[in-house]
Amino acid sequence: MAVYLTLTAVVLILAWQVQNGIYAKQKLTGQIPWGMEQQQAKNAAAALGIFALLAAVSACRIAVGNDYWVYREILKLIYAGRDVASEPGFNFIVYWMLKLWGYDNYLPIFGVFSVATVGFMVKALYDQAEWFWGSLFILMTSGYYFSSLNSVRYYLVVAMVMYAAKYLLREEYLKFILWICFAALFHKSVLLVIPGYLILYWLSRKKLRPWMIAAGGALIASLVLFQDVYRKIIFLFYPFYEESAFDTGSISVVNVGMGLCCLILCFLCYGVWKEDNPHIRFWVWVNAAGLVINLFGSFIPEVTRVGNYFKVIQVFLIPALLYQMPDGKWKKLLTAGTVAAFLIYFAFFLKSAYDVDIRLLPYRKWIFD
C-alpha cells in the first residue's frame, strides 16, 4: 500500500505544476495556436513525469490483479492458435509479441499494454482537463488508475474512450468513431459508446423538450420491462456471459451513489454550464446516462463495466464544475467536500484491494527481484 500512497502523493505534487485551463479549452475547440508558451512547456514536462511514474509502477508489476495469471494462460492459448474470447486486435498483438520475444514471455506484453493504457489516460487529461490536478486526483482516488492494473484489455479501452471524447467535442465525428472502432478491436463492448455518446452530444446541444423527457422515461421503462429482450441481444455478442459468474443480476451501490452525488453537484453548479461551457453540458449528460445504466441495468452481466464507459467522464466533469465556479466560500466548501469524499472512498478502495477477487494488493514487482 505504501507504493500506491507514495505514487499518488508524488504525481499529485507534479500535477500542481500544470496550469492547463486556457490550453484545455483551446484543445477542446480545436483552436490551437502555433508555438509553445513557457507554461505549456512546464505543463508538458510535469505531465511527462506523471506518465513515467504511473507507467513504471504499472509495467513493473507481477501477480497483481485477480486476472493476472488468467491472462497468462490466455496468452499461451493465443500463441497456440486456440480459440479464445478476447478480440482480434488483442490476439494479433499478443501473437506477434510472443513470436518476437518467445513463448510464455508475458512480462513485456503486460508492460506494453500498461504503458499504452497510462499513455491514453494522461494524454486525455492533458488535452481536456481544465483543472489538471483535480482530474488526476479523481483518476487516482476513484481507483481508475489502480483498477487498470487489473482487466488488461478493458481499462485500455476505457482510457481510449477518455482520449477519443475530445474529437466529439470538436465535432470531428469521423475521428471519434474511428478511435472507438479501433478500441473495439480490444474489447467490443465499447461499440456502445458510439451511439451513446453521439446521442448525448446531440441532446447536450438542444434545449430540453417535453418529448425528450418522455423518450428518456420510455427508455428507462424499457430497461425495467423488457430485460429479457435486452439480454438476448447482449448474449448474441457475449454468449459465454449467460448464467456465468458475471451474470449476477446485481448493481453497485457505490457506483449509483457516486453518480447521484455527481448529479447533485451538477445541479448545485447549474450556473456554470447553463449557458456557457458546452463541453461541461455534454459531460453532465454522459454522467446521467452512466447513472441510469448502473441503476437500471442490473440484468446486464458486469453492468459496472458498461456503466464505466459513461461514469469515467466524472474525471473531467467534477473538476471542471469546481474550477469554473466563481471564487468564494461556496466554491471552497464544495471543493473541500469533494476532496474529502474521494479521500474517504480511496481509503476504502485500498482496504478492499487485498480481497481475493481484486488482488491489487500487495503490490509486487519483477524489477530488481
Side-chain angles (χ1 to χ4, degrees):
M1 189 180 293
V3 173
Y4 293 168
L5 291 174
T6 302
L7 176 67
T8 301
V10 172
V11 295
L12 288 176
I13 291 172
L14 284 174
W16 198 259
Q17 309 304 314
V18 180
Q19 305 299 319
N20 208 38
I22 297 174
Y23 310 117
K25 275 202 168 183
Q26 290 173 346
K27 292 174 183 176
L28 288 175
T29 59
Q31 300 173 351
I32 306 171
W34 179 258
M36 178 178 287
E37 298 177 355
Q38 183 177 0
Q39 183 60 54
Q40 286 177 289
K42 188 176 180 180
N43 291 349
L48 184 61
I50 291 167
F51 162 75
L53 289 170
L54 295 179
V57 169
S58 184
C60 292
R61 76 188 188 280
I62 187 170
V64 175
N66 65 357
D67 64 353
Y68 190 93
W69 297 121
V70 173
Y71 262 101
R72 181 187 180 186
E73 296 305 314
I74 292 173
L75 303 184
K76 292 179 181 179
L77 292 174
I78 292 172
Y79 185 81
R82 302 282 295 276
D83 289 334
V84 292
S86 51
E87 280 74 8
F90 178 79
N91 297 345
F92 178 82
I93 291 175
V94 165
Y95 179 80
W96 286 106
M97 289 176 71
L98 289 175
K99 278 285 189 180
L100 177 64
W101 288 316
Y103 175 72
D104 200 26
N105 198 352
Y106 57 90
L107 290 177
I109 295 176
F110 279 102
V112 167
F113 279 94
S114 296
V115 170
T117 301
V118 172
F120 279 115
M121 284 182 172
V122 175
K123 179 60 174 172
L125 265 58
Y126 186 72
D127 287 346
Q128 300 174 63
E130 294 178 83
W131 184 21
F132 187 89
W133 187 93
S135 289
L136 185 65
F137 173 79
I138 293 178
L139 183 78
M140 302 298 290
T141 57
S142 65
Y144 282 115
Y145 164 74
F146 295 107
S147 295
S148 73
L149 306 185
N150 211 335
S151 303
V152 174
R153 293 178 298 122
Y154 172 72
Y155 275 98
L156 170 62
V157 170
V158 169
M160 293 171 76
V161 171
M162 293 171 62
Y163 171 79
K166 69 180 180 183
Y167 294 115
L168 185 55
L169 291 168
R170 294 179 189 174
E171 299 188 350
E172 297 176 358
Y173 302 114
L174 182 58
K175 287 184 180 180
F176 169 74
I177 292 171
L178 288 175
W179 269 108
I180 300 303
C181 288
F182 177 63
L185 294 175
F186 301 92
H187 210 291
K188 57 180 175 284
S189 65
V190 76
L191 289 173
L192 176 67
V193 167
I194 294 177
Y197 272 40
L198 287 174
I199 292 170
L200 293 168
Y201 180 77
W202 179 80
L203 288 171
S204 72
R205 293 301 190 268
K206 300 294 181 181
K207 187 175 181 180
L208 198 60
R209 303 291 183 184
W211 72 265
M212 295 179 182
I213 299 174
L219 176 61
I220 292 174
S222 74
L223 294 175
V224 177
L225 298 175
F226 303 112
Q227 295 183 1
D228 290 341
V229 176
Y230 284 114
R231 284 174 62 83
K232 287 180 180 178
I233 296 172
I234 291 169
F235 296 139
L236 286 176
F237 296 93
Y238 287 98
F240 48 86
Y241 272 134
E242 188 171 11
E243 297 183 0
S244 69
F246 304 106
D247 191 12
T248 61
S250 63
I251 62 173
S252 170
V253 176
V254 172
N255 283 338
V256 170
M258 291 176 73
L260 281 171
C261 290
C262 185
L263 200 59
I264 292 171
L265 180 63
C266 291
F267 283 113
L268 292 175
C269 303
Y270 182 62
V272 169
W273 54 276
K274 177 183 178 182
E275 301 293 342
D276 299 322
N277 300 309
H279 59 290
I280 297 181
R281 287 202 301 275
F282 169 66
W283 292 334
V284 171
W285 276 94
V286 175
N287 175 73
L291 176 59
V292 168
I293 292 170
N294 280 310
L295 189 58
F296 297 101
S298 60
F299 60 89
I300 304 172
E302 290 204 284
V303 62
T304 298
R305 289 195 173 190
V306 178
N308 276 348
Y309 290 134
F310 299 84
K311 177 175 169 285
V312 73
I313 290 298
Q314 291 177 6
V315 169
F316 304 123
L317 171 59
I318 295 173
L321 290 170
L322 298 173
Y323 178 81
Q324 290 287 346
M325 282 193 70
D327 292 335
K329 291 183 179 180
W330 187 234
K331 178 176 182 176
K332 292 178 180 178
L333 179 63
L334 287 178
T335 302
T338 301
V339 169
F342 274 99
L343 285 176
I344 292 170
Y345 176 83
F346 189 40
F348 281 100
F349 173 83
L350 289 178
K351 183 179 179 181
S352 69
Y354 285 102
D355 291 349
V356 175
D357 58 343
I358 299 177
R359 295 183 186 175
L360 292 177
L361 284 173
Y363 176 79
R364 295 187 177 93
K365 62 187 184 304
W366 55 262
I367 193 170
F368 301 134
D369 282 356

